[in-house]
Amino acid sequence: MDTVSPLVREIQEIIPGAERRSTGAGARLATDDPSARGWTASGLLDAPSFMAGLDVAELHSSVMDSALTSMTLLNDIAGRYPNAISFAAGRPYEGFYDVKQLLSYLRSFEWHLETELGLGVEDVRRTFFQYGRTKGVIHHLIARHLECDEGLHVDPESLVVTTGCQEAMVLVLRALRRDSRDVVLTAVPTYVGFLGAARLVDMGVRPVREGPGGIDLDDLAEQIKRARAEGLRPRACYVVPDFANPSGVSMSLADRRRLLEVADREGILLLEDNPYSFFNSSGVRLPTLKSMDRSRRVVYFGSFAKTAFAGARVGYVVADQPVKGDSAEAKLFADQLARMKSMLTLNTSTVAQAVIGGYLVENGCNLERATRREAAVYRTNLRAVLDGLEKRFGASSPTGAGGGSVSWNAPSGGMFVVVTLPFPADDATLERSAGDFGVLWTPMHHFYSGAGGSHQIRLSFSVLSREQIDTGLDRLAAFVAQTT
């Protein structure tokens, strides 16, 4: 019986002189043809005698940029000290998650497609299982949510549903960067993910001072002026008006109005990111920049990572700016972003969108109401952190000036508190804190585009219990006492 497999026979026909040297699934072929060396009967190549390598200097500069490596570094440290109490991760509270709820969300979205949108069985099945439209399949539900929670009326076609808010940032910055003269401004410290997105698309970042009330508007105008004097084109300013990550600061209503005026006067876009506004300790929410925008200066980033759950990786961008000079059908900035997304991720997972869609349907698209339990947890934890810091380090003023050598700010909501220490708080210091004292935090220098934050740490309290907060602050106090 001929025991030569069809694959081996095919290789023998292609490669002159090839013969089987052994039997079995891993049978090797021998041949005098040098070009065929390394082939096996499985169709794979043997490992070569040397491995091809890459020099990091030949790769894009972003691969070694601190903005892109910071999260990996912090995760590595956390992984080495699993028993340490972590104030590092800015994750949403996990106590209300229920795996069974996912099936409910899927069924609710199926009901929505059948009953509210009138889709037939085949179209419903296709919505769940096939490639979806690039702009997304829950854009209309997100538009309802924005109307309900933000008083914001947007055309669903001005929305692009993205794979997390991070993709939305990459798309917008990629679209705005024509050449090396284009730059974006942001208050510093700022969200490290935005800095990373800018690095990926080679967009220069110009820092603007941040004060207790958010971005310094006078400095913003000055930095725009300086950039133009250097021959650069300031395109946009990234801003988180409510409980910014990492500082926790918020902008007043008057400053929001002034910021819109600056954007109009200077001819730049505002990139508004709004992941935390539902988590206000006072219960009073200020309007978003986008809801106050009358000249379409604001590109609005949204995400369901903090409101629903991060695992879905569903975000979105509202980009309703008209685009001139395009002979095709793309009339809005959102259409241009969708073109790029089609070459990046094609479409956001329809299954993930279906789960978030069901979450929206079950909550009447009212996320303020849907997140009340989580908001209560964050309020309690924020109070516990602020009271705990005062108990261990002395009194604190609203500006963050403590009674001793340690000071901190006092946000009115969100997930973060910034503590200033009397010694440098770098990555090596974090490792010692984790290894010797069992407490993790985030060095603030990771949130700066240049130098800054060298003596500051960010405490995130969103996933901790009251007991963990107390124990963690005890460990932090012991670490500070021994390091000072």
Side-chain angles (χ1 to χ4, degrees):
M1 178 181 295
D2 183 5
T3 59
V4 178
S5 73
L7 175 60
V8 171
R9 187 178 296 110
E10 181 179 349
I11 294 174
Q12 288 174 332
E13 292 173 357
I14 296 173
I15 305 173
E19 61 181 39
R20 190 174 62 172
R21 282 189 173 167
S22 60
T23 59
R28 298 186 59 187
L29 298 175
T31 176
D32 294 329
D33 184 355
S35 66
R37 289 174 186 166
W39 280 96
T40 66
S42 64
L44 301 176
L45 284 170
D46 282 340
S49 58
F50 65 91
M51 298 296 291
L54 295 171
D55 190 324
V56 70
E58 297 175 342
L59 303 178
H60 189 267
S61 60
S62 66
V63 300
M64 291 302 293
D65 191 280
S66 59
L68 273 69
T69 59
S70 62
M71 294 311 299
T72 301
L73 172 68
L74 296 174
N75 287 335
D76 286 346
I77 294 175
R80 289 198 296 275
Y81 305 102
N83 296 323
I85 291 177
S86 178
F87 288 97
R91 298 178 298 173
Y93 181 67
E94 301 171 350
F96 302 127
Y97 290 157
D98 182 355
V99 174
K100 299 182 184 66
Q101 194 69 47
L102 298 176
L103 181 58
S104 175
Y105 293 150
L106 290 171
R107 286 174 172 166
S108 293
F109 188 64
E110 181 184 22
W111 172 88
H112 168 73
L113 295 177
E114 293 173 344
T115 306
E116 291 197 307
L117 299 189
L119 299 187
V121 174
E122 290 296 324
D123 287 333
V124 170
R125 187 163 57 203
R126 188 174 298 115
T127 300
F128 277 88
F129 289 98
Q130 272 291 4
Y131 298 110
R133 65 193 291 273
T134 301
K135 281 188 174 182
V137 298
I138 62 170
H139 54 307
H140 59 293
L141 292 173
I142 297 174
R144 286 189 200 174
H145 144 60
L146 292 173
E147 182 175 1
C148 178
D149 286 313
E150 309 295 352
L152 183 56
H153 302 277
V154 301
D155 180 353
E157 288 304 315
S158 69
L159 277 151
V160 180
V161 184
T162 55
T163 304
C165 189
Q166 203 69 27
E167 185 191 21
M169 293 178 183
V170 171
L171 291 173
V172 169
L173 292 177
R174 176 68 274 176
L176 293 178
R177 188 195 185 280
R178 294 169 293 174
D179 58 47
S180 60
R181 290 173 293 174
D182 295 303
V183 295
V184 65
L185 301 107
T186 181
V188 291
T190 196
Y191 171 50
V192 69
F194 180 78
L195 294 176
R199 296 290 193 273
L200 287 175
V201 303
D202 287 322
M203 175 74 96
V205 177
R206 303 284 291 208
V208 180
R209 283 196 306 267
E210 182 181 72
I215 189 169
D216 185 320
L217 299 178
D218 292 331
D219 192 48
L220 173 60
E222 177 62 24
Q223 294 305 324
I224 292 172
K225 179 181 177 181
R226 289 184 185 179
R228 287 177 174 153
E230 295 172 22
L232 301 175
R233 289 190 296 254
R235 302 301 307 278
C237 177
Y238 172 75
V239 62
V240 184
D242 295 288
F243 319 121
N245 181 7
S247 64
V249 301
S250 297
M251 296 182 68
S252 68
L253 182 59
D255 280 348
R256 294 175 197 230
R257 292 193 179 112
R258 278 190 63 203
L259 178 56
L260 289 166
E261 292 170 359
V262 171
D264 275 337
R265 183 175 68 248
E266 300 293 345
I268 65 168
L269 293 173
L270 297 176
L271 311 181
E272 180 180 18
D273 194 4
N274 184 28
Y276 308 109
S277 68
F278 293 126
F279 311 132
N280 191 319
S281 294
S282 69
V284 178
R285 294 177 59 233
L286 294 178
T288 63
L289 293 170
K290 187 62 179 174
S291 65
M292 301 167 64
D293 182 19
R294 296 297 176 265
S295 53
R296 299 194 182 183
R297 286 284 174 194
V298 180
V299 176
Y300 185 86
F301 296 131
S303 170
F304 296 97
K306 303 300 190 291
T307 50
F309 49 91
R313 301 306 304 134
V314 174
Y316 63 91
V317 56
V318 180
D320 56 0
Q321 290 72 27
V323 176
K324 302 175 182 177
D326 190 348
S327 59
E329 290 301 315
K331 303 298 184 184
L332 297 174
F333 191 27
D335 298 315
Q336 310 293 341
L337 300 178
R339 284 178 172 179
M340 291 190 297
K341 178 178 171 60
S342 70
M343 292 292 107
L344 183 62
T345 55
L346 188 60
N347 66 275
T348 300
S349 165
T350 54
V351 176
Q353 287 187 73
V355 173
I356 295 300
Y359 173 83
L360 289 167
V361 168
E362 289 192 11
N363 288 287
C365 295
N366 186 326
L367 296 194
E368 184 173 19
R369 183 176 63 205
T371 57
R372 283 176 181 167
R373 293 183 304 175
E374 289 83 356
V377 170
Y378 301 145
R379 282 195 300 272
T380 299
N381 285 4
L382 173 59
R383 190 70 264 155
V385 168
L386 295 178
D387 289 346
L389 289 170
E390 183 173 347
K391 175 182 176 182
R392 290 161 179 86
F393 298 109
S396 171
S397 74
T399 60
S405 60
V406 176
S407 61
W408 57 92
N409 67 343
S412 58
M415 298 181 174
F416 313 108
V417 171
V418 175
V419 178
T420 301
L421 301 175
F423 51 83
D426 56 16
D427 298 335
T429 311
L430 167 61
E431 180 116 25
R432 191 168 72 84
S433 174
D436 296 347
F437 294 88
V439 61
L440 286 157
W441 33 264
T442 304
M444 282 288 287
H445 73 82
H446 287 285
F447 301 97
Y448 286 78
S449 58
S454 60
H455 284 63
Q456 293 182 313
I457 66 175
R458 188 194 74 174
L459 301 183
S460 175
F461 48 79
S462 51
V463 295
L464 299 177
S465 67
R466 178 60 186 266
E467 293 73 21
Q468 288 173 318
I469 290 172
D470 284 339
T471 302
L473 291 179
D474 283 340
R475 295 178 181 181
L476 179 64
F479 164 68
V480 171
Q482 185 159 325
T483 308
T484 302

